[in-house]
Amino acid sequence: MKKTFKTAARRSLALAAISGAAIGGAALAAPAANAASTSTWDAIAQCESGGNWAINTGNGYYGGLQFTLSTWQAYGGTGMPNQASPATQISVAERVLASQGWGAWPACSAKLGLYGTAGANPTPVQAAPVQAAPVQVAPKAAAVAPQAAPVQAAPVQAAPVQVAPVQAAPRHVAQVPVSGQTYTVKAGDTLSAIAQQLGVTGGWESLADANASVIANPNLIFPGQVLQLPAQ
C-alpha cells in the first residue's frame, strides 16, 4: 500500500551505494528519446535540498541532489558533489537515473510523478585525452595595419526566473505489526534497497512505518541502526 510522507521536511536523498560499478569510458545506458529537462532536475533539487546546489550539512549527503560520496564517485563524479556546478551534478544524476531509475530519489520522484527511468539521457564518462606537445613555428614578420579599438556594448542581463518550491504532502504513519526480526543498517543501504532485498510486504513504506520511532526521515538512515522488520 502506498503512503504519503509525514512531514514536509523529508527532503534528504538516500542514494543507493554502488558496489563494484564498472563505469570506465563507456555510457552506462542508451540515451532515451527525451531527456529529463533542467526544470525537472531543479524541482528534484528544490525538494531534496531547498534548491541549494552547494549544500553540505555534514550528514553525508552533498549538493542540490543530495549525493552520497560513494554514489558520486561510482558514477563518474570527481571532487566533492557540493563543489561541482549544477550542470555537472545533473550530468552525474543522469547516469544514476539510467542505472537505478527515479527510485534513487524515492520521496521526491514519487511526489513529482516520476517513475522508472523516464527521461534518462546519460552522457558517457570520458577518459581525459592525452595532449601532444604543440609544435612551435617561428613567427613571420608581417606588416599589420592599425585597427580601431572595438566598441564594447553594455551586456543585457535577464531577470532570474524563480522556481516555486515543491511542497511535500503530510504522511500518515500506519500502525505496522513487527515480526521480532531485525536488520542492522550497513553503509550505502537505503530503505527501498533493504525492503527489496528482504522481500518486505508493502516495500520501504511499510519498513519506515514499522520503525517510525527511530526513523525521523525515511530518506536518511545510518550505518549501525537496528531496524524492526514488519510481520509478513
Side-chain angles (χ1 to χ4, degrees), residues 156-178:
V156 178
Q157 296 187 352
V161 178
Q162 299 293 329
V163 178
V166 179
Q167 298 295 330
R171 178 173 185 261
H172 301 285
V173 177
Q175 295 296 324
V176 176
V178 296

Side-chain angles (χ1 to χ4, degrees), residues 4 31 109 126 181 227:
T4 56
S109 63
Q126 300 292 339
Q181 296 179 321
L227 304 181

Side-chain angles (χ1 to χ4, degrees), residues 19 50 68 98 117 183 198:
S19 174
T68 62
T117 58
Y183 177 86
L198 301 179

Side-chain angles (χ1 to χ4, degrees), residues 113-139:
L114 301 170
Y115 302 98
T117 58
N121 187 25
T123 56
V125 180
Q126 300 292 339
V130 177
Q131 298 290 338
V135 178
Q136 299 293 330
V137 179

Side-chain angles (χ1 to χ4, degrees), residues 189-211:
D189 275 345
T190 64
L191 287 183
S192 59
I194 295 170
Q196 182 176 5
Q197 174 186 342
L198 301 179
V200 175
T201 301
W204 66 266
E205 296 97 333
S206 179
L207 187 58
D209 289 344
N211 294 274

